[in-house]
Amino acid sequence: ILKTLNSWFWWENIWMPINCTWADFVDRDGLVFPKPHQLYATIPYAFVLLIIRFFSERYVAIPLAKALGIKNVRRVKPQPNPVLESYFRECSRHPSQSEIQGLAKKCNCTVRLVEKWFRRRRNLEIPTVLRKFQEAFWRFSFYLTSSIVGFIFLYDKPWFYDIWQTWVGYPFQTLLPSQYWYYMTEIGFYWSLLFTLGIDNKRKASGLYWLDFTFFFFSPGQDFMAHVVHHFAAIGLMSGSWCGNYVRVGTLVIFVHDTADFWLEAAKMFNYARWEKTCNMLFIIFSIAFFITRIILFPCWILRATLYQPTFYSTTPVIAYFLFNGMLLTLQGLHLYWGYLIFKILKRFVFLK
């Protein structure tokens, strides 16, 4: 069954134009092509990024947080109690008064002690401001570095200025070393986020955060499962574009997305430090960058290149054309939804102060 599924998955008509086979993508005459097996390297790269994250959060983020006035608040741990711990994990974190009375009798202690135990146990589940700052710092560092490196990799490429160049010579476009590292690092980053979802800060389902009672702050992530789906979708989209050698347009998609995200993480960092004016200014910059990159450039530049231009180079679009464009259109739908929320936040910020 696995062998049959594998042959179906790598069927040439899914990935490449007609009359092309996988044998045509063997390196030759100085031409180097992306290989699907190279994606296995993203797993060890993810662990390298986790090591870098550990040291950057410990030796850069923590001193920076202290310099900004963020203190590490130590929470009091409740006394070990197997009965209450089991109830907390399996039944409810907020037991009713009758349930608390039953647990008090079961543990042979007072109702007040049980209430106190649950309160302290719930507090342990809430990440500290310092922990939130560390996570925001790591994402800020990666997105900023990725944006700078991406610009360095792309600024001298003809397809960065003329989007038609993304399809010239396709599918026999040689793979550049810069494209390899750009892709591998980005995919490895999302693998690393998947590996740490269980210990990272759980975001609220509303996607809206109260900032010092001044305005609502938006984070484009909603809950645990939404993050799982988002990270797998990002990995799947980048991995698929790698296998189909859509690397040129893929690097443009990565660059367009990363250039707005580091402003969001910077705003979070200064929010945690309670630098209200700086946070507000950074959020406005993020909003402008978001609308330029996600609402204007992505549909008018990227989607134009993936939906319209391939029809000039092939009269028989492959299955991958519909798959990837379907995912990109879904992504644009999310951009519009997030843009609507950001617009509502800006409206409250400007008119309601």
Side-chain angles (χ1 to χ4, degrees):
I1 294 175
L2 292 176
K3 188 176 180 179
T4 303
L5 291 175
N6 184 65
S7 64
W8 288 352
F9 185 80
W10 296 112
W11 183 36
E12 282 90 349
N13 289 354
I14 294 178
W15 298 97
M16 58 193 68
I18 194 170
N19 297 326
C20 288
T21 65
W22 290 112
D24 297 326
F25 290 87
V26 177
D27 297 347
R28 65 185 185 279
D29 302 327
L31 295 178
V32 179
F33 301 106
K35 314 289 192 307
H37 67 81
Q38 291 172 321
L39 294 172
Y40 291 123
T42 58
I43 302 298
Y45 291 156
F47 286 102
V48 172
L49 287 172
L50 287 175
I51 294 172
I52 296 173
R53 174 179 177 175
F54 172 79
F55 284 101
S56 65
E57 287 185 354
R58 187 179 182 88
Y59 296 107
V60 182
I62 292 179
L64 179 60
K66 290 180 179 179
L68 293 174
I70 298 176
K71 297 180 181 180
N72 186 18
V73 179
R74 295 186 179 275
R75 295 194 172 98
V76 180
K77 293 183 179 180
Q79 292 292 330
N81 190 311
V83 175
L84 297 182
E85 182 67 28
S86 176
Y87 192 91
F88 181 87
R89 291 181 176 275
E90 299 175 8
C91 298
S92 174
R93 298 184 179 186
H94 298 271
S96 64
Q97 195 63 33
S98 61
E99 291 170 334
I100 290 176
Q101 291 174 356
L103 289 169
K105 291 180 180 179
K106 195 173 183 179
C107 297
N108 195 23
C109 61
T110 65
V111 170
R112 185 177 178 183
L113 285 176
V114 175
E115 291 175 339
K116 187 177 181 180
W117 190 96
F118 272 93
R119 185 167 58 252
R120 288 182 174 179
R121 186 63 182 85
R122 286 193 298 268
N123 287 339
L124 288 180
E125 298 290 308
I126 303 173
T128 63
V129 175
L130 179 61
R131 183 61 201 151
K132 293 179 181 180
F133 182 91
Q134 288 177 275
E135 290 183 21
F137 174 82
W138 166 243
R139 288 182 169 84
F140 166 79
S141 301
F142 180 85
Y143 289 133
L144 177 61
T145 303
S146 178
S147 300
I148 295 172
V149 171
F151 180 76
I152 294 172
F153 287 165
L154 289 169
Y155 87 97
D156 61 342
K157 305 299 186 294
W159 54 87
F160 189 60
Y161 305 97
D162 182 7
I163 198 69
W164 285 91
Q165 294 293 324
T166 55
W167 298 107
V168 173
Y170 181 82
F172 303 109
Q173 297 172 339
T174 189
L175 177 69
L176 303 175
S178 60
Q179 293 172 328
Y180 171 84
W181 289 110
Y182 198 28
Y183 253 78
M184 295 297 109
T185 305
E186 196 78 18
I187 297 175
F189 173 71
Y190 280 101
W191 275 122
S192 71
L193 293 182
L194 271 176
F195 296 156
T196 58
L197 269 179
I199 60 175
D200 281 346
N201 172 33
K202 304 292 190 303
R203 288 170 174 78
K204 297 178 182 179
S206 64
L208 296 172
Y209 296 81
W210 188 249
L211 285 193
D212 303 329
F213 305 102
T214 55
F215 66 99
F216 280 105
F217 188 75
F218 170 73
S219 175
Q222 300 204 352
D223 55 17
F224 181 82
M225 287 307 301
H227 276 80
V228 172
V229 172
H230 173 269
H231 297 339
F232 270 118
I235 293 169
L237 186 58
M238 288 186 284
S239 300
S241 65
W242 177 267
C243 295
N245 200 13
Y246 303 120
V247 175
R248 290 185 180 180
V249 72
T251 53
L252 297 178
V253 173
I254 295 172
F255 179 75
V256 163
H257 282 76
D258 287 352
T259 48
D261 287 343
F262 69 87
W263 294 106
L264 177 66
E265 301 301 332
K268 289 181 183 179
M269 290 164 57
F270 282 100
N271 168 56
Y272 300 143
R274 298 194 177 278
W275 288 37
E276 183 180 318
K277 292 183 179 179
T278 305
C279 174
N280 294 348
M281 182 177 64
L282 288 170
F283 180 77
I284 292 173
I285 296 174
F286 158 72
S287 302
I288 295 172
F290 183 93
F291 281 106
I292 292 175
T293 56
R294 311 282 181 94
I295 307 300
I296 298 175
L297 284 181
F298 187 81
C300 300
W301 193 41
I302 302 295
L303 288 180
R304 178 171 171 265
T306 60
L307 284 169
Y308 171 70
Q309 293 175 359
T311 59
F312 283 83
Y313 295 95
S314 176
T315 56
T316 55
V318 294
I319 297 175
Y321 168 86
F322 300 100
L323 293 176
F324 292 130
N325 277 302
M327 288 189 282
L328 291 174
L329 287 170
T330 302
L331 189 59
Q332 180 57 24
L334 290 173
H335 293 166
L336 295 173
Y337 171 69
W338 293 335
Y340 166 72
L341 293 180
I342 293 171
F343 177 77
K344 287 177 64 178
I345 298 163
L346 288 176
K347 185 178 177 181
R348 292 176 62 90
F349 174 61
V350 172
F351 294 104
L352 302 180
K353 300 300 181 182

